[in-house]
Amino acid sequence: MKESVGEKVSRNTVAWLQYVNTREEELTEKQKNINEGVMEMKMMNKDRPGICYSNISLIKKALLQNSENILPYHEILLYVKKNWTNLNSKADDIKGIVDLALYAPKSFFYEVDEGLWGIKDKTDARLNQIYNYMNPIKIPLKISDMKQRLRFYESEDMLKQLLLSDIRFSQIENTPFWILSEWIIINNFVYEYIFNSDLIGIDREKVVERVVQLNKLDKDKIIFLPLFDDRFSVIGNRVEIKRMMGINENSNVEQEVEVPVEINEEVGRLSYKIINFIKGSKEEVTTSQIVMNIFQITQNEPSFSIYSEAIKDLLDVVPEIKQVEAHKWTYSEDVTNLQIENRENVYYAVKNSTPTIKNLKELMDQVHPNSRHPINVTSNDTKKSDDKLYAYHTISYYDRVKGFFIIPKGLIEKSVLFRQNNHGKIMIQYEEFRYEWNWENNGHKYYFFGDGVMDFFADYLIEPGHKLSFAIDNQIMYLIRVHKVGFDERYASEQQRYLDIGRLVEESKSVNKSIFSLMCETLAIHPSGMHWSVLLDKIAEKRTTTKNTVTNLLSRNECFEQVEGKKGYWRLSISKLSRYYINEENQEIVEPVESGKKEENESLKVVRKEEFLELLESGVEENEPSDMDIKELQQLDTDILIQQIESKLMEITQEETKFKESISERVHANFINGNISAIEELYKSVEFNIKFYERVRLLAQERERKSEE
């Protein structure tokens, strides 16, 4: 029967109205999601299968890391980046995902303080019954299940809003099921265990028990959800994995991964653990093994590729480590490894630290002619020009933060100052200004350190990469002239800085530091910056402090500067690092000098006297001084210098008596105990001192004889 025109119009009208109603419902739902900040794009990535969360759920899980459930904005970004399964997402994509949830018109989150975010309603008492029901049974529930089992009379939409706004609940993406945010889903751990054990299947309870034991997990906080994960199939109590899925068979596929700077710095802080892990292995080590053993991240976790890329970038600049093939590393025995000596009395030297590197002699003697990477501790070379000796050293990030550096080898060979004792002070001239620098022989290597070094660094805004030249005149041995002669970009590179960060972390074992020093130390190993609240937490782990103290020190000292574009974040300005700082009461404080040896506190005049004594003994004839030398010498008061020498000779003579008495007591004690070898060792150790006192006594007698004449 042919349809009439009226019937056709009526039918089309009904169909159109149905379409319009359906479309309106879709648009309404879409607008509702936008208002709530729910991310609609799917997070599932077939290269990384597994359970994933919405952006709101991820932010809630991030906030759970903090006891007060508040985090800096950029910490939230980092957490989402590390747990976002779509690896192709760039930093701007992650920012958009997070901003959509935080800044939505009906967002569940709010800015608590400067750059700090929290959730508006942490917990809703109306949901306590649901929480108490779900927690012990460890089973995901749909909203309809909650209403039916627990007799909730609110509408499903109302209950969904309550769950979204409560930090205790998270929704499994692309499903109607909800779980507790505090639960740790162990699907990745289980998959790795079954895959690496070459099993086809295993009893569900047994595999959970083994995974918990191997990974030392809290059994009350874990949940295994194979039915929500495409990688698993479940037959009764038996669990099997689908090996064609996951990344194990696709590990050779190179994928460009964007690494956040915070993760590069985290890897840098653990650089020495990574190097020692490779060194301690008898076989080649894969990047996967490093990620899993050092960072406890399994191959199926979204952040695995990020950490793998960061580790590769780091190891590329370590001379000791060689890449034998893609993602495989080995330790080269013919390259000396840096060994850090951790001692309880090591202190953080924002100014005069003493080095604690055990094998510096090996490192300094090691030559890498074909290396394309600079080695932080070996940047010295020398040359002669115009009857002067020039030596060079390039300042590394480590040097600048610690406040000491290795003395160029040429200075040691040329100057008599470094031969008489193992420590002392010396005058450094830069342009028209002079500084006193401490020096010390520690482990057969010589170092400059002390207040004068830090003052010089701060006054001339010395940065990592600055190359310094050191010039000694043949006639004026007590004065060294320093110049900035260039800038080496390699030493200022991020990867070299990350290695230095690892060294700083290894040496940061001291106690009794000022709040200022602790802040400098913490920010030095987080060079991209840190939110003041996180910095406060880090400092509070070591010393009792307050928000006011930390924020006042940040705002009143020019070595701390705010990070542009990151609200509430501060960084350490290395070039302005100084031993002077303004405390919370607006008073200028000078960090006290800390020294391992009493003799290091002697004045510069002692160094000059020691040099003068050595010249008298050796009979070295001075060359004809230049006009500049004469000008320098005219600044000295000869009579005062002679008086000081005589006074010092008398002091040394008195010290000789005390020295001999001390040695006699030790010899007597060892002789009674029959420890002859200890006496022999004692003689060897003090032989130089005995000869020194002998020479001083002869000089004093000669001086007295000439005075009488």
Side-chain angles (χ1 to χ4, degrees):
M1 184 176 177
K2 190 175 181 180
E3 186 178 35
S4 68
V5 174
E7 290 174 336
K8 187 174 183 180
V9 170
S10 177
R11 181 173 55 80
N12 288 340
T13 301
V14 172
W16 170 251
L17 290 174
Q18 289 176 343
Y19 169 77
V20 170
N21 290 335
T22 303
R23 185 63 178 157
E24 283 180 348
E25 290 177 2
E26 291 176 354
L27 292 173
T28 300
E29 183 64 25
K30 184 175 182 180
Q31 184 60 46
K32 185 178 178 182
N33 285 337
I34 292 174
N35 287 338
E36 295 171 357
V38 177
M39 192 63 194
E40 291 191 312
M41 65 175 283
K42 292 184 178 181
M43 295 174 61
M44 184 66 71
N45 183 325
K46 289 303 178 185
D47 290 333
R48 300 265 174 183
I51 294 175
C52 51
Y53 300 94
S54 68
N55 53 339
I56 288 178
S57 294
L58 276 177
I59 293 172
K60 288 161 74 173
K61 289 180 74 65
L63 294 176
L64 279 175
Q65 296 179 107
N66 182 275
S67 59
E68 298 180 4
N69 303 138
I70 56 174
L71 270 185
Y73 172 79
H74 292 275
E75 292 291 320
I76 295 173
L77 281 182
L78 181 62
Y79 183 89
V80 174
K81 172 64 177 176
K82 290 163 70 171
N83 292 277
W84 194 253
T85 56
N86 188 342
L87 298 180
N88 294 320
S89 299
K90 303 297 181 183
D92 289 342
D93 300 327
I94 300 299
K95 187 177 186 302
I97 291 164
V98 172
D99 287 350
L100 181 65
L102 296 183
Y103 295 103
K106 295 182 180 179
S107 173
F108 304 106
F109 308 97
Y110 75 110
E111 190 171 9
V112 181
D113 201 348
E114 184 185 26
L116 281 173
W117 285 80
I119 192 165
K120 290 179 180 177
D121 301 310
K122 290 184 182 180
T123 59
D124 192 311
R126 289 172 289 183
L127 301 181
N128 288 349
Q129 186 181 358
I130 298 176
Y131 177 85
N132 293 332
Y133 177 79
M134 293 179 65
N135 195 26
I137 63 174
K138 299 290 188 299
I139 296 176
L141 292 179
K142 294 188 291 186
I143 291 178
S144 58
D145 296 331
M146 298 175 188
K147 288 175 62 64
Q148 182 179 355
R149 298 185 189 187
L150 302 174
R151 299 183 181 277
F152 269 83
Y153 299 104
E154 288 84 353
S155 67
E156 289 197 7
D157 283 345
M158 178 63 178
L159 192 51
K160 181 181 179 181
Q161 293 300 308
L162 293 175
L163 291 168
L164 284 170
S165 63
D166 194 311
I167 197 170
R168 295 175 294 178
F169 300 92
S170 295
Q171 186 177 12
I172 301 175
E173 185 73 347
N174 303 316
T175 77
F177 288 89
W178 292 79
I179 61 174
L180 298 187
S181 302
E182 65 194 60
W183 288 348
I184 300 172
I185 299 177
I186 62 170
N187 287 30
N188 288 332
F189 290 105
V190 173
Y191 183 88
E192 291 293 333
Y193 176 81
I194 297 176
F195 187 95
N196 294 328
S197 301
D198 290 326
L199 298 172
I200 298 175
I202 189 171
D203 181 79
R204 179 171 176 169
E205 292 185 3
K206 285 183 178 180
V207 72
V208 169
E209 184 178 348
R210 290 178 186 176
V211 164
V212 169
Q213 290 175 350
L214 285 172
N215 297 281
K216 299 179 180 178
L217 302 174
D218 185 350
K219 192 174 183 179
D220 295 330
K221 295 295 183 183
I222 60 98
I223 184 171
F224 178 39
L225 302 174
L227 296 176
F228 295 85
D229 195 328
D230 292 339
R231 296 173 295 176
F232 297 92
S233 60
V234 180
I235 305 171
N237 290 329
R238 184 178 177 82
V239 178
E240 296 181 357
I241 63 171
K242 301 173 183 178
R243 289 180 176 269
M244 72 288 298
M245 302 187 67
I247 65 168
N248 301 72
E249 271 72 31
N250 299 315
S251 58
N252 293 327
V253 178
E254 291 293 335
Q255 190 173 17
E256 185 178 348
V257 179
E258 187 179 64
V259 182
V261 65
E262 295 90 347
I263 291 182
N264 275 325
E265 291 176 2
E266 181 185 352
V267 171
R269 288 191 289 273
L270 294 174
S271 58
Y272 281 88
K273 285 189 177 180
I274 295 171
I275 293 170
N276 288 331
F277 178 75
I278 298 173
K279 182 181 179 181
S281 177
K282 297 179 180 179
E283 301 176 350
E284 297 168 353
V285 174
T286 65
T287 307
S288 299
Q289 290 173 318
I290 298 171
V291 177
M292 289 188 287
N293 283 276
I294 302 297
F295 298 94
Q296 286 75 53
I297 297 173
T298 66
Q299 288 188 332
N300 281 279
E301 293 184 63
S303 59
F304 181 86
S305 293
I306 301 174
Y307 280 89
S308 295
E309 189 68 21
I311 289 169
K312 180 181 179 298
D313 291 342
L314 175 81
L315 296 180
D316 278 343
V317 299
V318 182
E320 300 97 323
I321 305 301
K322 291 184 178 180
Q323 186 172 6
V324 291
E325 57 181 272
H327 300 293
K328 285 190 176 181
W329 312 89
T330 184
Y331 180 81
S332 178
E333 294 293 343
D334 59 345
V335 180
T336 305
N337 187 26
L338 185 68
Q339 299 172 14
I340 302 296
E341 178 182 359
N342 290 327
R343 302 179 305 188
E344 291 184 359
N345 62 343
V346 175
Y347 53 84
Y348 176 73
V350 172
K351 7 154 270 317
N352 22 263
S353 208
T354 54
T356 55
I357 303 171
K358 295 190 290 186
N359 64 328
L360 278 161
K361 186 177 188 303
E362 295 177 80
L363 288 164
M364 291 300 295
D365 293 340
Q366 188 70 42
V367 179
H368 304 282
N370 300 321
S371 176
R372 56 190 170 90
H373 309 295
I375 301 174
N376 289 353
V377 295
T378 59
S379 59
N380 305 317
D381 53 89
T382 59
K383 68 176 183 179
K384 277 186 130 179
S385 177
D386 300 330
D387 206 28
K388 291 183 180 179
L389 177 95
Y390 290 89
Y392 301 91
H393 181 82
T394 304
I395 301 298
S396 69
Y397 185 83
Y398 177 88
D399 294 339
R400 183 61 183 89
V401 173
K402 293 295 284 184
F404 63 74
F405 61 92
I406 293 173
I407 302 175
K409 200 171 184 179
L411 296 185
I412 307 300
E413 295 172 347
K414 186 67 176 176
S415 176
V416 296
L417 295 174
F418 305 109
R419 300 175 195 168
Q420 184 68 48
N421 280 328
N422 287 327
H423 56 85
K425 295 194 177 186
I426 197 168
M427 184 68 75
I428 298 294
Q429 180 164 326
Y430 184 91
E431 296 176 344
E432 69 272 21
F433 297 101
R434 291 186 175 186
Y435 299 85
E436 278 187 354
W437 285 11
N438 294 66
W439 64 269
E440 181 183 46
N441 179 2
N442 187 339
H444 305 292
K445 290 299 169 185
Y446 292 77
Y447 299 86
F448 284 134
F449 68 99
D451 294 348
V453 176
M454 283 304 297
D455 290 345
F456 168 72
F457 281 172
D459 291 346
Y460 292 96
L461 302 179
I462 301 299
E463 297 181 358
H466 270 131
K467 189 170 186 177
L468 304 179
S469 72
F470 300 84
I472 303 179
D473 289 351
N474 284 339
Q475 288 80 28
I476 308 180
M477 304 298 289
Y478 63 85
L479 182 69
I480 297 177
R481 293 184 175 86
V482 180
H483 299 279
K484 284 194 288 187
V485 294
F487 192 84
D488 191 334
E489 294 288 348
R490 298 173 303 171
Y491 283 77
S493 70
E494 285 188 343
Q495 293 306 323
Q496 287 297 322
R497 183 177 63 189
Y498 296 147
L499 281 175
D500 282 348
I501 288 172
R503 296 174 65 191
L504 292 171
V505 170
E506 287 299 306
E507 294 188 11
S508 176
K509 306 293 182 184
S510 60
V511 293
N512 299 325
K513 306 170 189 172
S514 68
I515 300 298
F516 174 78
S517 291
L518 287 171
M519 290 170 62
C520 290
E521 176 185 50
T522 305
L523 291 175
I525 59 177
H526 295 82
S528 65
M530 179 180 281
H531 194 276
W532 63 262
S533 63
V534 181
L535 177 62
L536 175 61
D537 292 340
K538 294 287 185 183
I539 302 303
E541 292 173 3
K542 301 175 182 178
R543 280 196 61 177
T544 303
T545 187
T546 64
K547 173 185 174 182
N548 285 339
T549 297
V550 170
T551 53
N552 282 333
L553 287 171
L554 286 172
S555 60
R556 291 176 179 174
N557 292 279
E558 63 175 4
C559 64
F560 304 124
E561 59 185 26
Q562 290 182 297
V563 180
E564 186 177 354
K566 298 178 76 171
K567 191 187 294 186
Y569 275 71
W570 292 79
R571 63 182 289 272
L572 182 66
S573 178
I574 293 296
S575 63
K576 298 176 183 176
L577 188 58
S578 168
R579 64 191 178 95
Y580 300 93
Y581 71 96
I582 306 298
N583 67 7
E584 60 270 29
E585 297 174 357
N586 210 31
Q587 299 172 329
E588 183 176 77
I589 304 296
V590 182
E591 288 285 84
V593 175
E594 298 184 57
S595 176
K597 295 182 179 180
K598 180 180 179 181
E599 291 83 359
E600 289 172 357
N601 293 323
E602 292 180 349
S603 68
L604 175 65
K605 296 171 184 176
V606 175
V607 177
R608 290 179 179 171
K609 285 178 283 187
E610 290 170 352
E611 179 197 6
F612 182 75
L613 290 173
E614 184 166 344
L615 289 173
L616 284 176
E617 287 185 81
S618 60
V620 175
E621 294 184 3
E622 296 278 341
N623 295 329
E624 188 68 20
S626 64
D627 293 338
M628 179 62 73
D629 295 338
I630 292 172
K631 185 177 179 181
E632 299 284 357
L633 290 169
Q634 285 174 345
Q635 297 178 12
L636 298 175
D637 188 327
T638 306
D639 291 334
I640 293 177
L641 182 60
I642 292 174
Q643 291 175 10
Q644 292 170 351
I645 293 173
E646 290 176 342
S647 174
K648 186 61 181 177
L649 288 173
M650 292 181 64
E651 290 175 15
I652 293 174
T653 303
Q654 294 171 358
E655 289 173 2
E656 180 187 7
T657 304
K658 297 178 181 178
F659 174 78
K660 287 183 175 180
E661 290 174 354
S662 173
I663 296 300
S664 296
E665 291 174 2
R666 293 169 64 182
V667 169
H668 181 68
N670 283 305
F671 183 81
I672 291 176
N673 295 325
N675 198 348
I676 305 301
S677 60
I679 298 175
E680 293 175 349
E681 288 296 323
L682 179 63
Y683 176 76
K684 291 178 183 178
S685 66
V686 301
E687 186 177 7
F688 174 85
N689 303 71
I690 294 172
K691 291 180 178 179
F692 170 74
Y693 283 127
E694 236 176 342
R695 292 195 299 270
V696 170
R697 188 169 61 255
L698 291 173
L699 285 169
Q701 292 173 355
E702 180 66 17
R703 177 65 186 164
E704 186 177 355
R705 184 182 63 79
K706 288 183 177 179
S707 297
E708 291 174 354
E709 292 177 355

